[in-house]
């Protein structure tokens, strides 16, 4: 997790987003992808975000994963400061339960894309898997690990199905 | 409209927002409030926005009006760089017709407020009237002009009602 | 909190809104801004609201913060009776969870602006900070206090980030 | 249509609502129910609304029909000033197309009911029919007229069906 | 509560709606208005609904209050079978939390009005108050009771406000 | 199209729904499935609907397709009166553009299913294809016709793709 | 429940959907309709889904019931691989609470219908009842069982009503 | 545009999506990135999609851009058949105007990510720019071209602003 080697930067606007964004970190660790995980706010610490993002490429980062809730500007602000791929995770919660964060993240104007994933923990996990897929384009070992991950997922579904067939739904699991 | 004297800065993310945001300019002119009107994008020209907003207070601006559509980050980004009051106008249009811009503008995190107004031209007009109300707090002449504006609005409603009573709804207007 | 000196009036439609609106009061106290906090309903006590709002300016109030839920008419009704700046806080809750209150507060017709903030407690806190920003326009000490508040917020984010870096996400906080 | 005899008061917040609200007037005329139709705004002419509504009962009005769009407060404000039945018509239009007006009209707090009808012209027509139904409770002739109206509607549906059967859908109408 | 004298019929589609609809019953009892409260479903017992509604007028009922959730057809089906005023209460709950019931109840086609009230218990209470207002049109004693109810509501708000002023928000209630 | 032989009944609440529902008729004709197409309203002609639906099974109908807009009760009311499969088509249009009709049609209570299809013409076409699929369960010739229809659709997609490859997107079609 | 005899296939994308989809199984058991219940994912095990669905018809299945949440593609993917009737159940849950699953299931393009039912357990129950209705078209005994089920439902509503009349709402149940 | 060299595959579910998806093609051409553009439907030609996607990696494709409307399953189905990065573009249009396509595309379950972009043409353009950013991670020339594209965008905004300052808003453009 040493930041000198990090290929992926995980940013979140508040430490209250950590339960969601740590899912991204866990996936990256599972694949052995070095990453940084940082709390910085597009609104409360805009200069920190700018400096972090502007220097990301030369520090060796290849992709940024940004999670934020409500008026979720973090991913868009990051994308404004770099041409690296920026992945956005709308955080679940608040009175609109993340639909505000989804719209604020995905509806970017032409020219500055943010690749957006599911609202909440599913999105954090998927953004990390997508980051792995990006890095795998030039890393055959990682590509193979990703394919193996898919196979394990498929096997897990099949095992659950087998268990359901064996026990019947009344006794499952 | 000389920018050296401007008290209000009107910002928009794209010149396609001008038909909406010019309504704010027209209101300010009606009240004789000097203003600037600028096109700058939180995503495409983030440094311009930052420098403009950071210098706004010392250049004599007292309030900023920011209009943007879809993932409307402009007002939030401006608010991150100043403690001046920031007014946000969600621009109408696009597939979600401004509900995305409304959520992106109003749902700001605690600590960095954006005062948000109606979606579209109504919002631009009201943001400008609100800016006048702010300035009127320390400008009795402006305060009186605002009260007169209200009276004229009320009279206009009454005249329409009188005309409706006179002509009947089948012949109105 | 003596009402003779109050610069800000906080209104709410029901005492059930107090857990939200007291956040606005707490912010004003933190900045030493004198305020009033009142329960009055646009629907159940319309005359009280009218008299309160119509006399607000001459009693020395400079800005009103109005919180209401569902068909949230309080801010709009207040704005109809004064040219002082009116700030609206859509209260969270009910079956639509505040999206009704947001629309009822923000979508004001042209001529009668209501500056609207986030749904729920975030909005109450931000409306109060915005009120401080308004008053700070003619109060350099308050302006400085607001800037200091922003710096403290930024430092708090940075401390959390530092703690996250030190402990790692598995052990945070 | 002489207002001295009016039993129903039709109010709208703006003359731009007349194409919708005139549908209510047309229905009342069809049933021979005397009515008034007035333009007055809860936000721009709150005192007019208050005086009109407060005096409605003693002037002989039995029911009020209020149409307004966006942050549609007119019906709620009227209901706050009278115990007469108040019917609300959310006006279609604007960026949210009337869903804002619907929520602002229907989501009234406990104690002050507004009977709400469909968004747009359908709602204006139905509010008027509902007003007729109210008055018919103590007017047997009107009750019979309402039943006849229903029968005519049913016959019209049946005639269209007969025509469709006769011509086939390719040649209809 | 003897049904031979009932002036108001309260219908609900399922006994699971009783916690909501009993609020309507409680209001009617408070005003001494005789009523019936019945469980019958537009979908599961359509013939019961039809017979109940068709005979309502001649049995002396003057108004129907219908509560239903999700695809809430009960009020509309009732309205199709009578020219008595029909009041609809969208029941809160389910995955869409009542917005489905609101749309199903309020968006009636032209010709068959349903007067719709707030989603959930607020709506049940308000529908009953509206029924009282209807009956009060020809019952001066009831009209006076309704005005007294309003005054008590206003006093209750004022007492809460007084208590808040006395104790301060930190110690309320 | 003789109704004595009809296997499918197409119902619509208003002749204004014919441009949508005729798409269902066209599909059934294409497959040679005899059908009836009728205008009858759950709200304006409830008795007609009831008698039609209650007699449907013994007259040989096997499935009903019901199209209605806004508070779309027709499919639900039909389903209440028969155990035949009822297919619902939410009609597009009105201020909520069919989302009201979708919720009113699909969110049926447990016990009385309505099989719901896409909003608008796509839904009418798909409901008819689904009716064909139902009938095909006991009609091998129809089953084969349905498979052939699918193949033609696939070929059409492939031809369009081939044309796009040949001409390039700048010259397509 | 032996799969060799199954007439209905119940599919779900994840075993977390079992509490919902087991409601469909319970209904089928109540009617004595043999069925299979399987966990397989359109995204994680697409080949399993394809092979299962493509072979469904020849293995004797007559109808498929597919439940999935969020971006609920399972029913649509199944429908792409068979001309058997496919019934879709949008699973409740997640940040959008099933409205995403509803749209993903019901808004199918022309040519590939998915019959969609209520969000959540109501939908699972209704999809199974609809499957019974389909099978009942060629099974008079099943048709009679379905009519009896309806009668029992009606009686249950009537018993609850009778109990409510007897006890009064204050003592119910 | 020779498909033997293609690095990006653009897929759309229907040729009616071409006006949107051709925007992605235009961007790729501007950057000199070879691509394929194909019409194939997840629902009407599922086998074509499967074979295309499964063979994509070995044919040299590095990223897929999938556009689909309404129940937009194409991107999700593609993602199920490859570990290459899949970018999703929700097509604007239909009664829900693309919000259905957004939810169907973005709300993918954990394990199978789809990187989602804005609804409509903005999304097509941004997905292509994001594809360029991915390829630029291992292509310094492309990385420089992307940075130049950003600079030109910024200059274009500045030129529009300069023109606005010169002409004033009344004469713009």
């Amino acid at each position: 997790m040493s930041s000198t080697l990090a290929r992926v930067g995980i940013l979140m606007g508040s430490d209250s987003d950590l339960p969601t964004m740590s899912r991204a970190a866990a996936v990256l660790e599972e694949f052995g992808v070095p990453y940084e995980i940082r709390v910085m706010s597009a609104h409360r610490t805009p200069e920190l975000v700018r400096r972090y993002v502007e220097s990301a490429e030369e520090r060796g980062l290849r992709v940024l994963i940004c999670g934020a809730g409500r008026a979720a500007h973090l991913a868009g602000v990051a994308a404004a400061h770099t041409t690296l791929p920026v992945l956005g995770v709308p955080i679940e919660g608040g009175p609109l339960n993340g639909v505000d964060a989804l719209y604020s993240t995905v509806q970017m104007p032409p020219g500055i894309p943010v690749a957006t994933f599911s609202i909440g923990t599913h999105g954090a996990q998927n953004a990390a898997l997508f980051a792995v897929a990006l890095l795998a384009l030039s890393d055959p070992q990682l590509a193979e690990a990703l394919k193996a991950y898919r196979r394990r997922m498929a096997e897990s579904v099949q095992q659950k199905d087998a268990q359901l067939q064996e026990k019947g739904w009344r006794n499952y699991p």
Side-chain angles (χ1 to χ4, degrees), chain A:
Chain A
M1 210 179 349
S2 156
S3 73
T4 54
L5 299 170
R7 307 292 293 280
V8 181
I10 302 174
L11 306 186
M12 70 200 83
S14 159
D15 65 339
S16 64
D17 302 334
L18 189 59
T20 299
M21 297 311 292
S22 61
R23 301 284 280 262
V27 168
L28 293 175
E29 291 192 10
E30 186 177 348
F31 281 95
V33 173
Y35 67 94
E36 295 172 349
I37 183 164
R38 302 290 304 270
V39 178
M40 54 183 76
S41 161
H43 297 121
R44 283 169 287 202
T45 60
E47 283 308 291
L48 278 187
V49 172
R50 182 174 70 88
R51 286 201 303 264
Y52 180 85
V53 174
E54 283 183 353
S55 67
E57 190 174 359
E58 69 176 30
R59 288 190 298 109
L61 290 166
R62 310 299 294 274
V63 53
L64 300 177
I65 300 177
C66 300
R70 304 180 189 232
H73 297 184
L74 183 58
V77 165
H81 288 294
T82 185
T83 52
L84 289 179
V86 174
L87 317 185
V89 179
I91 300 288
E92 191 172 350
L96 299 178
N97 216 15
V99 88
D100 43 2
L102 172 60
Y103 292 171
S104 298
T105 304
V106 78
Q107 285 290 80
M108 289 291 287
I112 311 290
V114 168
T116 305
F117 297 88
S118 310
I119 301 170
T121 53
H122 290 194
Q125 183 173 342
N126 274 358
L129 285 169
F130 191 83
V132 170
L134 295 199
L135 297 172
L137 287 175
S138 54
D139 181 339
Q141 211 167 340
L142 203 53
E144 185 44 45
L146 192 57
K147 290 189 172 78
Y149 181 92
R150 288 276 184 105
R151 284 191 296 269
R152 287 196 305 276
M153 281 203 310
E155 285 161 13
S156 163
V157 172
Q158 287 175 275
Q159 281 164 8
K160 284 168 179 168
D161 183 53
Q163 196 178 351
L164 176 61
Q165 300 317 309
E166 193 186 310
K167 294 187 170 178
W169 61 265
R170 282 200 166 79
N171 305 310
Y172 187 91

